Amino acid sequence: MTLASDRPHESRLLDGAAADGQGARLVARTLFREMQRSGFTHGQVLAVADELLGCLCATVRGREAAGAPPNSRGSEHTRK
């Protein structure tokens, strides 16, 4: 699964919701709700969040090392 808009055949996750800037919030709330329904503990939810942040940090570090701007996807994905 990917959120990258440069891969339209794989990025249906934010379609529709991204138009109003609420896509990330919708995905987060949906994921949290599904994790609760599946019986995840608060600690497990935090572990998933930590892993997501780790993935993001690794990606940013990799782009910085390659000389790309840290937020090369644009500001539309930043929290308002």
Side-chain angles (χ1 to χ4, degrees), residues 35 43-59 61:
M35 291 174 77
Q44 290 171 317
V45 173
L46 285 171
V48 170
D50 183 57
E51 186 63 29
L52 286 169
L53 289 170
C55 292
L56 175 62
C57 289
T59 299
R61 280 192 300 268

Side-chain angles (χ1 to χ4, degrees), residues 17-18 20 22-24 28 31 35 37-40 51 54 59 61 64 77:
D20 63 2
Q22 297 296 313
L31 177 59
M35 291 174 77
R37 287 182 186 155
S38 296
F40 279 64
E51 186 63 29
T59 299
R61 280 192 300 268
E64 287 174 347
H77 298 288

Side-chain angles (χ1 to χ4, degrees), residues 11-47:
S11 77
R12 308 243 187 262
L13 192 57
L14 292 179
D15 287 354
D20 63 2
Q22 297 296 313
R25 184 176 186 176
L26 176 65
V27 169
R29 287 174 177 242
T30 301
L31 177 59
F32 180 72
R33 187 171 43 251
E34 291 302 316
M35 291 174 77
Q36 283 186 313
R37 287 182 186 155
S38 296
F40 279 64
T41 66
H42 290 154
Q44 290 171 317
V45 173
L46 285 171

Side-chain angles (χ1 to χ4, degrees), residues 3-6 11 14 17-19 21-25 56 63 71-80:
L3 298 179
S5 61
D6 57 343
S11 77
L14 292 179
Q22 297 296 313
R25 184 176 186 176
L56 175 62
R63 288 182 181 170
N71 192 8
S72 61
R73 293 206 48 212
S75 61
E76 73 274 6
H77 298 288
T78 59
R79 186 176 176 133
K80 293 180 180 178

